[in-house]
């Protein structure tokens, strides 16, 4: 099979990869590899979707809201979620910040819980088998909360790894406010 070269950006064939541009090259290569295999299928899916649903009706929703409309809003089992969560970076189930985290999640309404789940995992869908069956980008991956950042930082999410990076906030109210801001503003804050 012959090797085919594709430019990842205009004039890219003439730009040698160096330490300075290595990150951009990798990001563009990953994007190209992910998109090339599904472009035709995605276009067919979208065409079929718009044959069934009027595009004007869908245009009022952002991607997060549309997923909730299509998939519905399942009631989240908090004990299943908590029992299938792992902790890293010094956090553990009885750490004060983790106790505050779960108190905040309990205080959230179901829509906010679904948005938190979507913020961290990339989807508001819960597997049929429950939280023990969550999957990441490369197979089974439990929900994870890791200690990260300064108390002035918002939480951030790594959706490929189902991981929430949660700073060691100094009070419940600070954690609640920062977590709610991050979850409600996922289009502009801390997704990686």
């Amino acid at each position: 099979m012959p090797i085919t070269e594709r430019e990842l950006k205009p004039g890219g064939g003439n730009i040698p990869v160096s330490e300075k541009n290595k990150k951009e090259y990798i990001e563009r290569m990953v994007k190209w590899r992910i998109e090339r295999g599904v472009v035709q299928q995605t276009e067919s899916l979208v065409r079929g979707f718009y044959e069934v649903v009027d595009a004007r009706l869908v245009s009022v929703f952002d991607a997060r809201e549309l997923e909730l409309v299509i998939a519905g809003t399942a009631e989240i089992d908090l004990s299943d979620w908590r029992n299938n969560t792992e902790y890293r970076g010094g956090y553990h189930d009885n750490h004060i910040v983790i106790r505050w985290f779960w108190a905040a999640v309990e205080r959230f309404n179901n829509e906010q819980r679904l948005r938190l789940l979507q913020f961290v995992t990339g989807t508001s869908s819960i597997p049929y088998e429950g939280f023990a069956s969550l999957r990441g980008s490369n197979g089974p991956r439990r929900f994870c909360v890791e200690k990260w950042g300064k108390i002035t930082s918002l939480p951030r999410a790594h959706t490929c790894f189902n991981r929430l990076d949660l700073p060691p906030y100094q009070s419940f109210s600070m954690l609640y406010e920062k977590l709610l801001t991050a979850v409600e503003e996922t289009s502009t804050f801390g997704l990686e």
Side-chain angles (χ1 to χ4, degrees):
M1 179 182 236
I3 295 176
T4 305
E5 288 188 19
R6 303 262 191 254
E7 286 191 344
L8 301 175
K9 72 180 199 176
N14 299 321
I15 303 171
V17 177
S18 65
E19 283 300 317
K20 193 174 184 178
N21 65 6
K22 179 171 62 174
K23 183 179 180 205
E24 179 189 8
Y25 169 76
I26 291 170
E27 287 171 352
R28 287 178 180 269
M29 178 61 83
V30 167
K31 185 175 187 249
W32 179 78
R33 286 186 178 210
I34 289 172
E35 290 176 353
R36 74 174 174 176
V38 296
V39 169
Q40 189 175 16
Q41 294 90 335
T42 301
E43 288 172 355
S44 295
L45 178 68
V46 170
R47 272 194 313 276
F49 181 79
Y50 285 132
E51 285 178 15
V52 177
V53 179
D54 188 329
R56 292 172 298 173
L57 297 175
V58 176
S59 66
V60 299
F61 299 107
D62 64 25
R64 182 173 56 179
E65 293 166 334
L66 185 59
E67 181 182 1
L68 289 173
V69 168
I70 291 172
T73 55
E75 193 69 34
I76 292 181
D77 180 345
L78 288 180
S79 63
D80 179 44
W81 192 354
R82 188 170 186 162
N83 291 335
N84 289 290
T85 295
E86 61 184 49
Y87 306 99
R88 294 188 188 152
Y91 282 155
H92 50 82
D93 194 47
N94 204 31
H95 192 285
I96 188 65
V97 173
I98 296 303
R99 291 196 324 245
W100 290 338
F101 170 77
W102 289 113
V105 174
E106 286 177 17
R107 196 166 155 189
F108 283 0
N109 63 38
N110 198 59
E111 183 181 344
Q112 291 168 321
R113 291 174 187 163
L114 288 167
R115 287 181 185 250
L116 171 62
L117 182 63
Q118 189 167 48
F119 176 68
V120 178
T121 67
T123 180
S124 61
S125 299
I126 304 161
Y128 176 76
E129 303 86 357
F131 282 91
S133 298
L134 274 180
R135 298 187 60 79
S137 61
N138 58 354
R141 177 85 57 177
R142 290 171 48 161
F143 190 90
C144 178
V145 182
E146 184 166 337
K147 184 189 272 185
W148 164 88
K150 300 174 185 169
I151 61 169
T152 56
S153 303
L154 286 169
R156 70 180 184 183
H158 301 270
T159 56
C160 290
F161 306 109
N162 296 339
R163 189 176 84 220
L164 175 67
D165 288 345
L166 187 65
Y169 298 119
Q170 297 178 327
S171 69
F172 171 77
S173 60
M174 180 184 282
L175 181 145
Y176 186 84
E177 178 185 314
K178 298 275 189 179
L179 186 61
L180 191 59
T181 299
V183 169
E184 294 294 334
E185 303 295 334
T186 57
S187 62
T188 56
F189 287 109
L191 276 176
E192 290 190 356

